[in-house]
Structure formats: C-alpha cells, structure tokens
C-alpha cells in the first residue's frame, strides 16, 4: 500500500484516501485504513524523521481537522491539564460519563471516538484496571485489611474495581499524584468513609525520601512508567519495592508498542509513550537485591500490549 520512496507524499495520499473512505464507507473502514498506513510509515522511517517531518505533514492534511471532531482526540491534543494522558482522558477509555462527553460532538466525532476507544490499546487500559482490582482482591483474601498505595493515582479508578474495596475489606488507601485536579476529583467523588489519603507530589519524591508515608501490603502504578525512561523505571521500582511490608506485592507495567497503536496515538492524538521491550521491562528489577524477592512474574496482557512486573517481598 505504501511506496516507501517518498514518505511525505505518501502521508498526504494516505490522509486523502482515508477521508474518501470516511465519506463513502464509514468511520470503521477509514480508521482501519489510516491506522495501517500510519503504522507502515512509522515502521520504515527513522524516529527523528517520523517526529520532525512526517507527523507535522500529517497534521497539515485537511482530514486531520475532521479527526479533531472526536472529543477524545481533541482532549488529547489540547492537553488541558498540561501533560499527556491525564486522568480525564483515561476516563474516556474507561467509558466514564461518556454519553455526556459525546453529547455536543458531531456524528462523525462520536463515531471516531467510539472507534478509537475500541482499539486494542484502549482495551488494554481497561483490562489493566480490572487486573489491578483482581490482584488487590487476591491480596485481601490472604491478608486482613491490606494497606494499598497507588503511585501516580490519577482518579484512582482501579480501587473501586476491587470487590474487597466494595466490601470494606481494605485498610489504608493512599494515592500520590502531582496533579491537584485529579486529587480534588477524588475528594469530591469518593464517600467520606472510604476516602483515601491523598498526597500531592511528584513520583520522584520517593527517590529522595521526601514523603514518609509508611509501608504497604500492595503497591501499584497503573500508567506512570509508560512516560519514563528506563533508568527512572528501575529506580522507582526499587523505591516502591522498599515500601512493601514483608510478604507485600508490587505491580508495575509498561506498554510494548509493537502493534499499530503508537502511530495513531503519536500523529493523531499527540500522545507519546516511552515504549519498552519485554527485556527492558524485566530489567525494572535490576536495583532490587535478589534475596529480597520471594517471587516474581512477568505477565503479558491478552491484547499483547502491556507487560506487567509482579513482585512479592520476602517474608
């Protein structure tokens, strides 16, 4: 489909054809064609060429303006909270208040939004929430009222996915995030009885021991590592592991980036993750003494999008 001799020309052709598909056969065919074409181009150019030449050219296409009718895409590109992948954007993926979010959009905008939210990368994010909820339940079945800590907690959507939480069987719930609006959202929308302890701080404050928040039976970070370089992931994994109680468990994960998703996220939604290989993700544990790890596992999700590191501290 793509003639690799002139990628800049091809990006315009791709957008023109996608626009034609949109008007003639609908959103599903148009987005599928666009995604495949962008993935093909991204795979055959240097990363600098992709970011500095191809992406700006794609955003000059008239069809790109139509893609911005999608409220999910518009939110992602505008970055109203000043950074990528904010909690409000993730709420789109979770389908929270989605009818209201789509209410003022055009028909095409609504259909585009639903198409992107059906993508495997979005499915992987929803699966991640459910996995963490189930994992918390597993710990709650072994430990009476386990204490839980979420790093870069966002709107803390994973905790209500836990049946143990809904049954009032968790102990301390602590969330740390540098976005004050995310923390305010939790304060306003959680009941007074179940409201967690919230800390406004950077994740890197854990490396300098600026926050003495205690130890926990389970610790997780749902999406933070997708934005960090390899060394930061290694250091934060060790810091989080050090906050575990004896027998406590830690779960972190990272997107692999081998499928088609990255090309659409980067060019269309201006959403840039730091994708890592399975080997890189396994190396997150490199700063933890082996004798302190009782058990470790590396789990790939059903969509082959995210690899999770799950560690148990020696009892």
């Amino acid at each position: 489909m793509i003639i690799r001799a002139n990628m800049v020309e091809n990006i315009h052709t791709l957008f023109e054809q996608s626009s034609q598909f949109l008007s003639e056969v609908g959103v599903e065919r148009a987005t599928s064609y666009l995604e495949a074409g962008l993935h093909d181009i991204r795979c055959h150019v240097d990363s600098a060429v992709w970011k500095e030449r191809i992406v700006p050219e794609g955003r000059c296409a008239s069809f790109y303006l139509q893609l911005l009718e999608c409220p999910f895409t518009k939110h992602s590109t505008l970055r109203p909270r000043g950074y990528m992948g904010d909690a409000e954007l993730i709420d789109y993926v979770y389908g929270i208040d989605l009818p209201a979010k789509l209410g003022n959009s055009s028909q095409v905008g609504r259909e585009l939004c639903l198409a992107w939210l059906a993508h495997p990368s979005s499915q992987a994010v929803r699966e991640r929430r459910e996995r963490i909820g189930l994992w918390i339940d597993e710990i709650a079945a072994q430990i009476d009222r386990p204490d839980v800590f979420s790093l870069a907690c966002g709107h803390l959507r994973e905790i209500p996915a836990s049946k143990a939480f809904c049954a009032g069987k968790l102990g301390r719930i602590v969330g740390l995030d540098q976005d004050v609006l995310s923390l305010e959202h939790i304060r306003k929308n959680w009941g007074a009885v179940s409201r967690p302890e919230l800390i406004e701080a950077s994740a890197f404050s854990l490396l300098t021991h600026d926050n003495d928040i205690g130890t926990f039976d389970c610790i997780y970070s749902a999406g933070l590592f997708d934005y960090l370089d390899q060394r930061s992931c290694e250091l934060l994994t060790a810091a989080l592991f050090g906050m575990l109680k004896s027998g406590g468990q830690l779960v972190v994960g990272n997107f692999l980036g081998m499928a088609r998703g990255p090309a659409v996220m980067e060019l269309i939604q201006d959403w840039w993750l730091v994708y890592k290989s399975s080997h890189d993700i396994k190396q997150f544990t490199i700063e933890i003494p082996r004798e302190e790890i009782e058990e470790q596992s590396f789990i790939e999700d059903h969509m082959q999008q995210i690899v999770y590191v799950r560690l148990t501290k020696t009892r």
Side-chain angles (χ1 to χ4, degrees), residues 4 20 26 28 35 52 74 84 110 116 143 145 183 217-218 228 241 246 255 259 296 302 304:
R4 297 181 180 87
Q20 184 175 341
E28 184 176 353
E35 179 186 33
E52 297 169 12
K74 187 175 182 179
M84 293 179 286
R110 289 193 292 272
W116 298 135
I143 300 172
R145 297 186 62 78
L183 302 182
D217 299 291
C218 49
L228 304 180
F241 188 84
S246 174
F255 266 87
Q296 68 178 14
H302 292 101
Q304 298 182 314

Side-chain angles (χ1 to χ4, degrees), residues 135 138 249-251 295-297 299 308-312:
W135 167 66
E138 289 178 17
Q249 294 187 20
L250 166 66
V251 169
E295 184 178 352
Q296 68 178 14
S297 56
I299 306 160
Y308 299 90
V309 181
R310 180 169 175 173
L311 304 173
T312 302

Side-chain angles (χ1 to χ4, degrees), residues 10-180:
N10 290 337
I11 194 73
H12 288 288
T13 301
L14 174 65
F15 271 73
E16 289 171 6
Q17 186 64 62
S18 299
S19 178
Q20 184 175 341
F21 280 144
L22 182 66
S23 60
E24 294 179 355
V25 293
V27 165
E28 184 176 353
R29 181 72 176 93
T31 55
S32 178
Y33 182 84
L34 178 62
E35 179 186 33
L38 290 177
H39 175 71
D40 192 63
I41 293 174
R42 185 180 184 271
C43 287
H44 292 93
V45 297
D46 179 84
S47 59
V49 173
W50 167 254
K51 188 170 187 177
E52 297 169 12
R53 187 75 190 277
I54 302 299
V55 169
E57 286 290 337
R59 292 178 187 165
C60 288
S62 58
F63 182 52
Y64 179 72
L65 295 178
Q66 195 165 12
L67 294 175
L68 291 178
E69 292 181 28
C70 165
F72 175 70
T73 297
K74 187 175 182 179
H75 183 105
S76 185
T77 58
L78 290 178
R79 300 183 188 177
R81 294 196 182 179
Y83 62 93
M84 293 179 286
D86 63 59
E88 287 187 326
L89 187 66
I90 302 302
D91 276 353
Y92 273 94
V93 180
Y94 291 155
I96 295 172
D97 297 327
L98 190 58
K101 290 182 171 72
L102 297 178
N104 295 323
S105 302
S106 66
Q107 180 64 30
V108 167
R110 289 193 292 272
E111 292 180 9
L112 283 168
C113 185
L114 295 176
W116 298 135
L117 297 184
H119 189 273
S121 59
S122 295
Q123 293 182 49
V125 171
R126 292 191 288 272
E127 180 182 320
R128 182 176 65 193
R129 177 181 59 174
E130 299 307 313
R131 277 181 177 270
I132 292 173
L134 289 171
W135 167 66
I136 292 172
D137 288 342
E138 289 178 17
I139 296 176
Q142 303 167 13
I143 300 172
D144 183 43
R145 297 186 62 78
D147 296 327
V148 183
F149 174 57
S150 174
L151 178 64
C153 63
H155 289 167
L156 206 58
R157 300 297 188 191
E158 302 79 18
I159 300 294
S162 160
K163 293 180 180 178
F165 166 76
C166 296
K169 294 181 179 180
L170 300 183
R172 289 179 72 207
I173 301 172
V174 181
L176 183 149
D177 203 290
Q178 64 181 5
D179 187 341
V180 65

Side-chain angles (χ1 to χ4, degrees), residues 239-290:
L240 292 171
F241 188 84
M243 296 167 60
L244 289 173
K245 297 180 184 179
S246 174
Q249 294 187 20
L250 166 66
V251 169
V252 296
N254 211 117
F255 266 87
L256 291 167
M258 296 182 295
R260 292 177 176 179
V264 167
M265 289 179 65
E266 291 169 356
L267 195 154
I268 305 300
Q269 291 149 3
D270 198 21
W271 194 356
W272 302 76
L273 303 185
V274 183
Y275 300 99
K276 301 178 183 72
S277 68
S278 293
H279 176 267
D280 291 336
I281 295 169
K282 291 177 180 179
Q283 290 295 105
F284 287 176
T285 66
I286 196 169
E287 290 294 328
I288 303 172
R290 297 297 96 184

